[in-house]
Amino acid sequence: MAIDLDVHELLVMGDTDLLIWQAQGEWETRDIKLIPYTQCVEYLRKRFKSIEFRYIPRFHNELVDALATLASMLSYPGNTHIDPLDIQVHNQHGYYNTIETEPDGEPWYYEIKRFLKTREYPEHAKGDQKRPIRQLAGDFLLNGEILYKRTPDLNLLICIDATEAE
């Protein structure tokens, strides 16, 4: 895919140090099933001006967890073409709603999280107030106890309260 996109410099990150060392050619590949893959990597290396293989321990690789979460949310029927992901790294990756005081000491997203978890509306919500709650909750994703805000470009921003935002 990188070749089709006319990429000249490539950074390959992996959480398996054995494969990274083998891809760099610093360790020998002894498993007979992996030798064709190693040969393919060698062939592909020649197609780039620069290629770097970097080992990142799994516990330091938040991107892998985010991609795994994204992959678990989507279903792909067979023979479906999947466009490449455009991943950008931002210094600020949390979603914080600027609410001065949080009612009842709960975070600003408490009612949204509760609705997604239990499908129950707040006690004070009347009939005409339920639809906006459903619509608002549609912009969020609950994964276990962590609430994410979906962005129009399919990014997931973790929701944080005022204390975490400080």
Side-chain angles (χ1 to χ4, degrees):
M1 181 183 305
I3 293 170
D4 295 338
L5 294 172
D6 201 30
V7 171
H8 300 286
E9 297 178 1
L10 188 64
L11 171 62
V12 179
M13 296 184 285
D15 61 2
T16 308
D17 57 350
L18 173 64
L19 293 178
I20 295 297
W21 287 105
Q22 288 175 339
Q24 289 175 333
E26 298 193 26
W27 287 0
E28 182 181 337
T29 304
R30 292 186 181 169
D31 188 341
I32 196 144
K33 294 178 284 188
L34 296 179
I35 290 176
Y37 294 105
T38 305
Q39 292 170 343
C40 182
V41 168
E42 283 303 314
Y43 168 75
L44 291 173
R45 284 180 82 142
K46 297 172 186 169
R47 312 259 328 248
F48 296 97
K49 281 184 190 174
S50 143
I51 185 167
E52 179 184 346
F53 295 92
R54 189 179 300 165
Y55 169 66
I56 298 178
R58 178 70 182 218
F59 60 89
H60 287 297
N61 198 351
E62 296 171 351
L63 181 60
V64 169
D65 293 331
L67 289 174
T69 301
L70 180 62
S72 69
M73 293 172 21
L74 306 172
S75 61
Y76 299 104
N79 299 330
T80 300
H81 173 74
I82 301 171
D83 291 327
L85 293 175
D86 180 24
I87 300 172
Q88 300 172 355
V89 178
H90 297 279
N91 292 336
Q92 182 96 14
H93 59 275
Y95 180 74
Y96 174 68
N97 196 342
T98 54
I99 296 176
E100 294 297 322
T101 59
E102 297 173 345
D104 302 329
E106 298 292 347
W108 64 267
Y109 53 83
Y110 173 77
E111 296 293 348
I112 298 168
K113 187 174 178 180
R114 191 175 123 213
F115 177 78
L116 288 172
K117 191 183 282 189
T118 65
R119 290 291 180 201
E120 295 176 3
Y121 294 97
E123 296 173 11
H124 62 276
K126 297 186 170 102
D128 61 338
Q129 296 171 328
K130 293 181 179 180
R131 183 173 181 219
I133 293 171
R134 282 194 312 272
Q135 289 175 333
L136 181 63
D139 292 337
F140 292 85
L141 166 76
L142 184 62
N143 183 16
E145 290 297 315
I146 301 173
L147 185 67
Y148 295 94
K149 168 96 168 93
R150 290 185 182 118
T151 64
D153 56 352
L154 296 179
N155 284 322
L156 294 175
L157 304 175
I158 191 167
C159 295
I160 57 177
D161 60 15
T163 308
E164 291 173 304
E166 292 297 321

